[in-house]
Amino acid sequence: MVALALPAGPGLTARSAAGPAREHGVSLDTGLDRTLATAMAAAQAGDAEAYRRLLRACLPVVAGMARAQGVRPDAVDDVVQDVLLTIHRARATYDPGRPFLPWLRAITQRRAIDGMRRAGRRPREVHDPIAYEAEADGGPAPGAGLEARDRVRVLARAVAALPEGQRQAVEHLALGERSLDETAALTGRSKGALKVNLHRALKALRHTLGRDGPEADRAAADGADARERGTHDV
Amino acid sequence: MSERAPLPHDELVEALAGGLRPVRRLPSPALRALIWCAAALGAGFALMPFADLEALHLRMAVPDLRYAALGALLTALTATVAAFQTSVPGRSLRWTLLPLAPAALWVSASGLGCLRTATVPGVAPPEAGGCFAFLIGVSLPLSLALVWMLRRACPLRPNLTAALAGLAAAAAAAVLLVPFHPHDATAADLALHGVAVLLVIGVNGLAGGRLLTRGG
């Protein structure tokens, strides 16, 4: 079994991926290359542990090389896996008398190009200015945070306006995601009563929150709903 | 957007390492090229009893025929080496330039022979057709053997490697044709040779490229 004592780290990946290294990159590259070459020679002989370590050591190196090649961040994982499969298939072609990294770099560059070609063949709308302008932004809309805060505030007021038993049922069962047993133990109410209270609370909330903004606010504030509808605690 | 959801890398590493089998390291590309050339040469020797050696001797006394044969031979050798080199990851792409000079010698010497005999009426169609059939018929098994050997490696540019294999097979077929070629090259003859060679290279580049592209 070959033990890989890799001087790994982010800097190593970047330098290894960038080709001719500067500063200390040369010695790092040489050390890494020798280690990987030894591991690959052992893998050719059937040493699974050395092969496992080799492939794991290749992951950041290949990812760095793919990024340097211009692969988009969301496609790097695909390229890395293509490269791993190619390494597996091509392992008999590696000559341990030669450096390992150029062999790996050739595979990675080719698979990166294949990946970018595949991505380029998929239909995209970026060449159509109108479609580009009309494309919906996947991110949150402006003001989404304020709206979310408003919704939380209205919901909190509506829950607070519920009768005690119903409020407990909502807080523990729905918001707190506790079980019936836990809630029964906490509140001292029977499981059946909790179910009924939750059902009535949800019905009241649906009624309250179904109204438009200010009206819902008012209804939640004065707690009128439960009384209006005659929904009482059990 | 990826076509498939990627496996976590660790799972793939485990799957590959878990199913690892020892592999026999491939011999060097030069050695494998030599093996194929020796096999093609063996086929040539096997055909020798059917050749008109006296006529061959006379034809080889003509410089352009001699240089055309030499060019084809060197093209076959260098294209074979280039095909095997490009089938191994990490080898320089400059290997693909290796057959260019011999191919230029082959084409230009054949063209010179064609100019020399330009005033002679074209060869009879059956003869030219026979050459065409010979070139295609011999190139086919040579190409198949070459692609089969190349498949054991991992060509990263399968179409390029297969096209080089086609050039090697077509040039080798042209060399094997020399002992059986009953006349000088004429325009019609040369055009047919050219078509046959380009056909072999093209078919290899397309079909061989697919054969050399294995899953993964």
Side-chain angles (χ1 to χ4, degrees):
Chain A
M1 190 179 88
V2 175
L4 289 181
L6 292 171
L12 168 77
T13 304
R15 275 192 292 269
S16 303
R22 289 179 292 277
E23 299 174 8
H24 306 295
V26 173
S27 60
L28 271 175
D29 262 6
T30 311
L32 176 68
D33 198 297
R34 206 175 298 126
T35 314
L36 295 178
T38 311
M40 184 48 118
Q44 286 176 329
D47 185 341
E49 187 53 34
Y51 191 47
R52 187 174 289 116
R53 287 167 187 263
L54 166 79
L55 293 180
R56 283 191 186 139
C58 283
L59 291 175
V61 181
V62 170
M65 287 175 177
R67 276 192 291 270
Q69 191 75 13
V71 174
R72 287 179 325 182
D74 61 339
V76 166
D77 280 346
D78 277 357
V79 171
V80 168
Q81 298 205 350
D82 274 353
V83 171
L84 292 186
L85 291 169
T86 308
I87 290 173
H88 188 70
R89 188 157 64 77
R91 66 192 191 281
T93 68
Y94 175 65
D95 175 2
R98 287 170 167 265
F100 180 83
L101 286 175
W103 185 83
L104 180 65
R105 187 173 291 118
I107 292 175
T108 305
Q109 284 178 345
R110 202 61 217 168
R111 291 298 171 246
I113 290 169
D114 290 346
M116 287 190 283
R117 278 188 183 151
R118 275 200 305 272
R121 278 198 291 267
R122 286 185 207 115
R124 285 185 299 174
E125 294 180 343
V126 289
H127 300 299
D128 180 347
I130 295 173
Y132 185 77
E133 293 298 327
E135 176 74 19
D137 189 347
L146 288 174
E147 284 177 13
R149 216 160 54 191
D150 279 350
R151 280 199 300 275
V152 169
R153 186 176 52 78
V154 169
L155 179 65
R157 289 174 68 175
V159 171
L162 291 170
E164 178 66 11
Q166 293 179 20
R167 187 181 58 75
Q168 283 179 341
V170 169
E171 284 178 351
H172 291 295
L173 293 171
L175 302 178
E177 295 183 353
R178 292 193 177 90
S179 68
L180 276 169
D181 287 331
E182 287 171 333
T183 310
L186 280 170
T187 61
R189 295 174 192 267
S190 71
K191 289 201 281 187
L194 285 169
K195 284 182 192 173
V196 172
N197 278 341
L198 181 64
H199 175 74
R200 287 182 177 170
L202 294 179
K203 198 171 173 184
L205 286 175
R206 203 173 295 124
H207 183 73
T208 307
L209 299 175
R211 298 175 183 174
D212 288 337
E215 199 184 342
D217 270 10
R218 268 199 310 278
D222 61 17
D225 277 346
R227 288 188 294 277
E228 272 175 21
R229 297 168 60 78
T231 51
H232 304 292
D233 279 359
V234 175
Chain B
M1 194 77 75
S2 60
E3 283 172 341
R4 60 182 194 278
L7 287 169
H9 296 325
D10 284 344
E11 273 184 38
L12 182 58
V13 168
E14 283 306 317
L16 295 178
L20 185 71
R21 299 276 176 278
V23 287
R24 205 164 46 132
R25 213 169 287 150
L26 279 183
S28 73
L31 180 59
R32 286 187 295 141
L34 200 65
I35 292 170
W36 184 84
C37 288
L41 201 65
F45 278 123
L47 292 173
M48 272 303 155
F50 306 102
D52 184 354
L53 293 178
E54 207 168 313
L56 172 67
H57 196 70
L58 285 175
R59 281 202 300 279
M60 287 301 101
V62 181
D64 52 69
L65 290 180
R66 192 168 60 238
Y67 288 128
L70 180 66
L73 178 66
L74 291 178
T75 303
L77 291 173
T78 51
T80 310
V81 170
F84 278 105
Q85 288 286 355
T86 57
S87 72
V88 175
R91 299 299 167 98
S92 173
L93 264 187
R94 289 185 195 151
W95 283 106
T96 54
L97 303 177
L98 191 64
L100 289 187
L105 174 66
W106 179 23
V107 171
S108 55
S110 303
L112 273 179
C114 173
L115 281 177
R116 184 167 55 76
T117 56
T119 53
V120 179
V123 290
E127 284 181 354
C131 293
F132 185 81
F134 184 95
L135 283 175
I136 299 291
V138 173
S139 294
L140 185 68
L142 290 177
S143 297
L144 287 175
L146 196 45
V147 168
W148 177 74
M149 288 179 75
L150 289 168
R151 262 175 71 87
R152 294 195 58 213
C154 181
L156 294 176
R157 291 175 177 79
N159 293 88
L160 175 69
T161 302
L164 285 167
L167 178 62
V175 174
L176 294 180
L177 176 66
V178 169
F180 305 96
H181 207 231
H183 47 74
D184 281 1
T186 62
D189 196 23
L190 189 66
L192 268 181
H193 284 204
V195 168
V197 169
L198 291 177
L199 193 67
V200 171
I201 295 172
V203 169
N204 263 273
L206 294 174
R210 285 172 190 273
L211 284 174
L212 291 176
T213 310
R214 292 184 285 169

